[in-house]
mmCIF file of all heavy atoms in Angstrom:
data_model
loop_
_atom_site.group_PDB
_atom_site.id
_atom_site.type_symbol
_atom_site.label_atom_id
_atom_site.label_comp_id
_atom_site.label_asym_id
_atom_site.label_seq_id
_atom_site.Cartn_x
_atom_site.Cartn_y
_atom_site.Cartn_z
ATOM 1 N N PRO A 149 71.040 223.829 133.428
ATOM 2 C CA PRO A 149 72.342 223.717 132.766
ATOM 3 C C PRO A 149 73.376 224.716 133.256
ATOM 4 O O PRO A 149 73.060 225.678 133.965
ATOM 5 C CB PRO A 149 71.994 223.975 131.280
ATOM 6 C CG PRO A 149 70.727 224.761 131.315
ATOM 7 C CD PRO A 149 69.978 224.261 132.513
ATOM 8 N N ALA A 150 74.611 224.481 132.860
ATOM 9 C CA ALA A 150 75.720 225.354 133.239
ATOM 10 C C ALA A 150 75.496 226.765 132.713
ATOM 11 O O ALA A 150 74.935 226.964 131.634
ATOM 12 C CB ALA A 150 77.035 224.799 132.667
ATOM 13 N N GLY A 151 75.931 227.742 133.504
ATOM 14 C CA GLY A 151 75.884 229.118 133.046
ATOM 15 C C GLY A 151 74.599 229.858 133.316
ATOM 16 O O GLY A 151 74.436 231.005 132.884
ATOM 17 N N THR A 152 73.662 229.239 134.034
ATOM 18 C CA THR A 152 72.373 229.894 134.294
ATOM 19 C C THR A 152 72.381 230.726 135.576
ATOM 20 O O THR A 152 71.358 231.293 135.951
ATOM 21 C CB THR A 152 71.240 228.848 134.371
ATOM 22 O OG1 THR A 152 71.609 227.818 135.291
ATOM 23 C CG2 THR A 152 70.985 228.234 133.008
ATOM 24 N N GLU A 309 66.603 226.986 132.457
ATOM 25 C CA GLU A 309 66.623 226.512 131.067
ATOM 26 C C GLU A 309 67.732 227.207 130.292
ATOM 27 O O GLU A 309 68.392 228.106 130.798
ATOM 28 C CB GLU A 309 65.252 226.780 130.425
ATOM 29 C CG GLU A 309 64.113 226.064 131.132
ATOM 30 C CD GLU A 309 62.745 226.474 130.580
ATOM 31 O OE1 GLU A 309 62.707 227.285 129.631
ATOM 32 O OE2 GLU A 309 61.735 225.995 131.115
ATOM 33 N N LYS A 310 67.892 226.779 129.041
ATOM 34 C CA LYS A 310 68.955 227.350 128.198
ATOM 35 C C LYS A 310 68.806 228.857 128.034
ATOM 36 O O LYS A 310 69.793 229.589 127.943
ATOM 37 C CB LYS A 310 68.960 226.671 126.833
ATOM 38 C CG LYS A 310 69.494 225.243 126.853
ATOM 39 C CD LYS A 310 69.443 224.611 125.483
ATOM 40 C CE LYS A 310 68.013 224.313 125.065
ATOM 41 N NZ LYS A 310 67.928 223.621 123.757
ATOM 42 N N LYS A 311 67.576 229.333 128.033
ATOM 43 C CA LYS A 311 67.344 230.778 127.852
ATOM 44 C C LYS A 311 67.848 231.595 129.042
ATOM 45 O O LYS A 311 67.983 232.818 128.953
ATOM 46 C CB LYS A 311 65.854 231.044 127.642
ATOM 47 C CG LYS A 311 64.982 230.715 128.845
ATOM 48 C CD LYS A 311 63.514 230.965 128.555
ATOM 49 C CE LYS A 311 62.645 230.642 129.781
ATOM 50 N NZ LYS A 311 61.207 230.857 129.519
ATOM 51 N N ASP A 312 68.132 230.916 130.165
ATOM 52 C CA ASP A 312 68.613 231.605 131.361
ATOM 53 C C ASP A 312 70.134 231.717 131.413
ATOM 54 O O ASP A 312 70.676 232.324 132.338
ATOM 55 C CB ASP A 312 68.138 230.867 132.623
ATOM 56 C CG ASP A 312 66.627 230.807 132.720
ATOM 57 O OD1 ASP A 312 65.996 231.869 132.679
ATOM 58 O OD2 ASP A 312 66.083 229.689 132.825
ATOM 59 N N ILE A 313 70.824 231.129 130.448
ATOM 60 C CA ILE A 313 72.291 231.147 130.458
ATOM 61 C C ILE A 313 72.795 232.577 130.316
ATOM 62 O O ILE A 313 72.416 233.299 129.391
ATOM 63 C CB ILE A 313 72.865 230.247 129.339
ATOM 64 C CG1 ILE A 313 72.554 228.770 129.646
ATOM 65 C CG2 ILE A 313 74.376 230.443 129.199
ATOM 66 C CD1 ILE A 313 72.977 227.793 128.573
ATOM 67 N N VAL A 314 73.640 232.986 131.257
ATOM 68 C CA VAL A 314 74.120 234.362 131.278
ATOM 69 C C VAL A 314 75.635 234.441 131.079
ATOM 70 O O VAL A 314 76.226 235.506 131.235
ATOM 71 C CB VAL A 314 73.735 235.062 132.605
ATOM 72 C CG1 VAL A 314 72.244 235.262 132.679
ATOM 73 C CG2 VAL A 314 74.229 234.270 133.818
ATOM 74 N N ARG A 315 76.258 233.344 130.726
ATOM 75 C CA ARG A 315 77.681 233.374 130.401
ATOM 76 C C ARG A 315 77.852 233.751 128.927
ATOM 77 O O ARG A 315 76.936 234.197 128.277
ATOM 78 C CB ARG A 315 78.319 232.011 130.692
ATOM 79 C CG ARG A 315 78.434 231.697 132.178
ATOM 80 C CD ARG A 315 79.112 230.373 132.411
ATOM 81 N NE ARG A 315 79.072 229.990 133.822
ATOM 82 C CZ ARG A 315 79.314 228.758 134.252
ATOM 83 N NH1 ARG A 315 79.613 227.793 133.403
ATOM 84 N NH2 ARG A 315 79.261 228.488 135.538
ATOM 85 N N HIS A 316 79.039 233.544 128.411
ATOM 86 C CA HIS A 316 79.344 233.843 127.013
ATOM 87 C C HIS A 316 78.347 233.123 126.104
ATOM 88 O O HIS A 316 77.907 232.007 126.394
ATOM 89 C CB HIS A 316 80.775 233.375 126.712
ATOM 90 C CG HIS A 316 81.332 233.893 125.421
ATOM 91 N ND1 HIS A 316 80.938 233.412 124.195
ATOM 92 C CD2 HIS A 316 82.242 234.871 125.177
ATOM 93 C CE1 HIS A 316 81.603 234.045 123.241
ATOM 94 N NE2 HIS A 316 82.399 234.946 123.819
ATOM 95 N N LYS A 317 77.979 233.754 124.991
ATOM 96 C CA LYS A 317 76.974 233.184 124.085
ATOM 97 C C LYS A 317 77.356 231.796 123.580
ATOM 98 O O LYS A 317 76.494 230.985 123.228
ATOM 99 C CB LYS A 317 76.739 234.114 122.898
ATOM 100 C CG LYS A 317 77.979 234.405 122.064
ATOM 101 C CD LYS A 317 77.696 235.445 120.994
ATOM 102 C CE LYS A 317 78.953 235.777 120.205
ATOM 103 N NZ LYS A 317 78.692 236.833 119.190
ATOM 104 N N LEU A 318 78.666 231.482 123.583
ATOM 105 C CA LEU A 318 79.094 230.155 123.138
ATOM 106 C C LEU A 318 78.631 229.060 124.090
ATOM 107 O O LEU A 318 78.470 227.909 123.671
ATOM 108 C CB LEU A 318 80.624 230.110 123.010
ATOM 109 C CG LEU A 318 81.218 230.715 121.732
ATOM 110 C CD1 LEU A 318 82.727 230.649 121.779
ATOM 111 C CD2 LEU A 318 80.690 229.992 120.488
ATOM 112 N N VAL A 319 78.413 229.412 125.375
ATOM 113 C CA VAL A 319 77.962 228.404 126.343
ATOM 114 C C VAL A 319 76.614 227.845 125.908
ATOM 115 O O VAL A 319 76.383 226.630 125.967
ATOM 116 C CB VAL A 319 77.875 229.006 127.765
ATOM 117 C CG1 VAL A 319 77.287 227.989 128.732
ATOM 118 C CG2 VAL A 319 79.259 229.441 128.234
ATOM 119 N N THR A 320 75.707 228.693 125.465
ATOM 120 C CA THR A 320 74.394 228.233 124.992
ATOM 121 C C THR A 320 74.556 227.292 123.807
ATOM 122 O O THR A 320 73.893 226.249 123.727
ATOM 123 C CB THR A 320 73.523 229.437 124.578
ATOM 124 O OG1 THR A 320 73.433 230.342 125.680
ATOM 125 C CG2 THR A 320 72.120 228.992 124.189
ATOM 126 N N ARG A 321 75.446 227.652 122.878
ATOM 127 C CA ARG A 321 75.664 226.805 121.694
ATOM 128 C C ARG A 321 76.270 225.462 122.078
ATOM 129 O O ARG A 321 75.927 224.426 121.509
ATOM 130 C CB ARG A 321 76.580 227.538 120.702
ATOM 131 C CG ARG A 321 75.970 228.830 120.157
ATOM 132 C CD ARG A 321 76.963 229.607 119.321
ATOM 133 N NE ARG A 321 76.444 230.929 118.991
ATOM 134 C CZ ARG A 321 77.180 231.888 118.434
ATOM 135 N NH1 ARG A 321 78.461 231.664 118.170
ATOM 136 N NH2 ARG A 321 76.644 233.058 118.162
ATOM 137 N N ILE A 322 77.178 225.481 123.072
ATOM 138 C CA ILE A 322 77.796 224.230 123.521
ATOM 139 C C ILE A 322 76.750 223.323 124.165
ATOM 140 O O ILE A 322 76.699 222.115 123.895
ATOM 141 C CB ILE A 322 78.951 224.533 124.507
ATOM 142 C CG1 ILE A 322 80.116 225.192 123.770
ATOM 143 C CG2 ILE A 322 79.411 223.264 125.226
ATOM 144 C CD1 ILE A 322 81.170 225.804 124.670
ATOM 145 N N VAL A 323 75.897 223.904 125.041
ATOM 146 C CA VAL A 323 74.818 223.132 125.671
ATOM 147 C C VAL A 323 73.903 222.525 124.613
ATOM 148 O O VAL A 323 73.541 221.340 124.687
ATOM 149 C CB VAL A 323 74.019 224.027 126.648
ATOM 150 C CG1 VAL A 323 72.761 223.305 127.133
ATOM 151 C CG2 VAL A 323 74.872 224.425 127.834
ATOM 152 N N ASN A 324 73.541 223.302 123.616
ATOM 153 C CA ASN A 324 72.668 222.814 122.543
ATOM 154 C C ASN A 324 73.319 221.657 121.792
ATOM 155 O O ASN A 324 72.665 220.662 121.467
ATOM 156 C CB ASN A 324 72.348 223.946 121.558
ATOM 157 C CG ASN A 324 71.346 224.940 122.118
ATOM 158 O OD1 ASN A 324 70.565 224.596 122.994
ATOM 159 N ND2 ASN A 324 71.370 226.164 121.624
ATOM 160 N N ALA A 325 74.620 221.792 121.485
ATOM 161 C CA ALA A 325 75.329 220.759 120.721
ATOM 162 C C ALA A 325 75.362 219.439 121.478
ATOM 163 O O ALA A 325 75.128 218.368 120.901
ATOM 164 C CB ALA A 325 76.751 221.233 120.414
ATOM 165 N N TYR A 326 75.635 219.499 122.799
ATOM 166 C CA TYR A 326 75.677 218.277 123.594
ATOM 167 C C TYR A 326 74.290 217.653 123.744
ATOM 168 O O TYR A 326 74.146 216.434 123.759
ATOM 169 C CB TYR A 326 76.310 218.555 124.964
ATOM 170 C CG TYR A 326 77.821 218.449 124.945
ATOM 171 C CD1 TYR A 326 78.605 219.570 124.710
ATOM 172 C CD2 TYR A 326 78.454 217.229 125.140
ATOM 173 C CE1 TYR A 326 79.991 219.483 124.677
ATOM 174 C CE2 TYR A 326 79.841 217.129 125.111
ATOM 175 C CZ TYR A 326 80.591 218.257 124.877
ATOM 176 O OH TYR A 326 81.959 218.157 124.836
ATOM 177 N N GLU A 327 73.264 218.476 123.857
ATOM 178 C CA GLU A 327 71.897 217.947 123.948
ATOM 179 C C GLU A 327 71.524 217.207 122.667
ATOM 180 O O GLU A 327 70.858 216.163 122.706
ATOM 181 C CB GLU A 327 70.913 219.085 124.212
ATOM 182 C CG GLU A 327 70.927 219.566 125.647
ATOM 183 C CD GLU A 327 69.832 220.578 125.925
ATOM 184 O OE1 GLU A 327 69.145 220.997 124.968
ATOM 185 O OE2 GLU A 327 69.662 220.960 127.103
ATOM 186 N N LYS A 328 71.934 217.738 121.528
ATOM 187 C CA LYS A 328 71.658 217.072 120.244
ATOM 188 C C LYS A 328 72.370 215.725 120.169
ATOM 189 O O LYS A 328 71.819 214.737 119.682
ATOM 190 C CB LYS A 328 72.114 217.966 119.089
ATOM 191 C CG LYS A 328 71.206 219.160 118.835
ATOM 192 C CD LYS A 328 71.731 220.007 117.681
ATOM 193 C CE LYS A 328 70.852 221.231 117.468
ATOM 194 N NZ LYS A 328 71.386 222.108 116.390
#
Side-chain angles (χ1 to χ4, degrees):
T152 52
E309 299 173 2
K310 287 179 289 183
K311 65 182 181 181
D312 299 304
I313 292 176
V314 292
R315 289 182 187 164
H316 193 286
K317 59 186 177 182
L318 280 178
V319 175
T320 304
R321 297 173 189 170
I322 291 167
V323 171
N324 285 335
Y326 274 92
E327 283 187 353
K328 286 180 182 177

